[in-house]
């Protein structure tokens, strides 16, 4: 009995929670949320379900852990050794989340779910803390910390999520340049009396870069925070 217990302990130690979460992220990336099953996970890890249940109770807990792990990695890429201004650091945080959501197609949905259903979980405070520290460093008065941080957080996750949704809906077989050219051409042909503005910016749609557009939005939010909440 003692020998069997020691072997069981060795198997449990070898199959860490971190390795399970890593495998779950890999499955989510390749097969989506529907492909993340404990059966698929046991096959990928070459183990039994009992060893996995030792670390995670159910699929919901596993999704939460996978989301938190990916977000933690995204936020860890911000400059640490030689930080720039709070604005630069906010841009780094924003771009890290943008690229992570772009890389992991399932992440945007999970973030929206966690922010709505379980804001007390690990993910929401992690993102809020990372952005909020920089908002405080900007010199925003304490009474406006929540509003300013919320505005940045909602823009970052919303814009990044929409970008990921666009890519997912179009699929890998659609050429982005051709698609944008078709949109621009269609806008240019709109009725000039009803859509004068849309026609005027149609050519900018053809040439725009998604990341530059995203960061321009971050800068607009930062400019608004500075105008409303910082001393002139």
């Amino acid at each position: 009995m003692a020998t069997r217990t020691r072997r069981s302990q060795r198997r449990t130690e070898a199959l860490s929670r971190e390795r399970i979460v890593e495998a779950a992220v890999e499955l989510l990336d390749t097969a989506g949320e529907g492909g993340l099953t404990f059966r698929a996970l046991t096959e990928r890890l070459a183990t039994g379900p009992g060893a996995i249940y030792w670390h995670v109770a159910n699929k919901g807990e596993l999704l939460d852990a996978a989301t938190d792990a990916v977000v933690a990695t995204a936020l860890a890429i911000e400059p640490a050794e030689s930080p720039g201004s709070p604005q630069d650091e906010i841009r780094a945080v924003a771009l890290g989340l943008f690229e992570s959501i772009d890389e992991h197609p399932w992440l945007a949905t999970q973030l929206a779910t966690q922010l709505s259903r379980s804001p007390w979980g690990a993910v929401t405070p992690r993102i809020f803390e990372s952005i909020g520290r920089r908002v405080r460093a900007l010199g925003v008065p304490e009474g406006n910390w929540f509003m300013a941080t919320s505005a940045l957080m909602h823009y970052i996750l919303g814009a990044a999520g929409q970008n990921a949704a666009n890519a997912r809906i179009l699929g890998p077989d659609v050429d982005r340049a051709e698609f944008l050219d078709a949109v621009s051409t269609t806008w240019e042909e709109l009725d000039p009396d009803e859509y004068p503005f849309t026609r005027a910016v149609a050519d900018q749609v053809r040439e725009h870069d998604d990341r530059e557009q995203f960061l321009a939005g971050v800068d607009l939010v930062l400019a608004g925070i500075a105008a409303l909440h910082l001393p002139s």
Side-chain angles (χ1 to χ4, degrees):
M1 181 64 69
T3 300
R4 182 177 180 181
T5 301
R6 284 195 295 272
R7 288 175 180 172
S8 177
Q9 288 174 342
R10 282 198 297 270
R11 285 198 300 270
T12 301
E13 290 167 358
L15 186 64
S16 65
R17 179 181 173 89
E18 289 73 19
R19 178 65 191 108
I20 293 171
V21 171
E22 180 183 337
V25 170
E26 293 169 358
L27 278 172
L28 286 164
D29 287 347
T30 56
E33 184 180 339
L36 179 61
T37 65
F38 274 71
R39 179 176 181 178
L41 202 55
T42 57
E43 291 176 356
R44 179 173 288 266
L45 293 169
T47 188
I52 297 176
Y53 282 115
W54 177 272
H55 295 281
V56 289
N58 50 53
K59 183 175 178 177
E61 181 181 335
L62 188 56
L63 280 168
D64 289 350
T67 303
D68 186 47
V70 171
V71 167
T73 300
L75 297 178
I77 69 170
E78 59 191 91
E81 295 181 1
S82 56
S85 67
Q87 291 92 334
D88 289 339
E89 293 189 12
I90 287 171
R91 292 185 192 97
V93 169
L95 192 58
L97 289 168
F98 178 91
E99 292 181 342
S100 188
I101 290 172
D102 185 55
E103 181 182 353
H104 304 282
W106 52 274
L107 184 59
T109 300
Q110 287 304 312
L111 285 172
T113 299
Q114 293 205 26
L115 263 63
S116 299
R117 295 183 181 177
S118 55
W120 49 80
V123 173
T124 302
R126 188 187 294 281
I127 299 173
F128 205 78
E129 179 70 21
S130 185
I131 298 172
R133 289 183 185 181
R134 277 85 194 170
V135 167
R136 180 176 60 188
L138 285 171
V140 174
E142 184 173 353
N144 301 117
W145 286 353
F146 176 75
M147 295 295 291
T149 303
S150 295
L152 276 165
M153 182 172 173
H154 286 303
Y155 168 76
I156 291 167
L157 297 183
Q162 184 61 57
N163 178 76
N166 293 342
R168 184 171 65 252
I169 292 170
L170 292 177
D173 297 329
V174 175
D175 183 272
R176 179 182 180 277
E178 292 180 359
F179 177 80
L180 291 179
D181 182 66
V183 173
S184 296
T185 301
T186 301
W187 284 16
E188 288 168 345
E189 296 171 352
L190 291 171
D191 187 303
D193 294 326
E194 291 189 41
Y195 302 99
F197 176 82
T198 304
R199 284 169 52 93
V201 300
D203 193 54
Q204 296 176 35
V205 173
R206 183 180 286 110
E207 302 297 333
H208 86 277
D209 178 89
D210 292 332
R211 281 168 175 75
E212 289 181 2
Q213 182 185 36
F214 172 74
L215 289 174
V218 173
D219 288 340
L220 285 171
V221 178
L222 287 172
I225 291 172
L228 291 172
H229 301 307
L230 299 184
S232 58

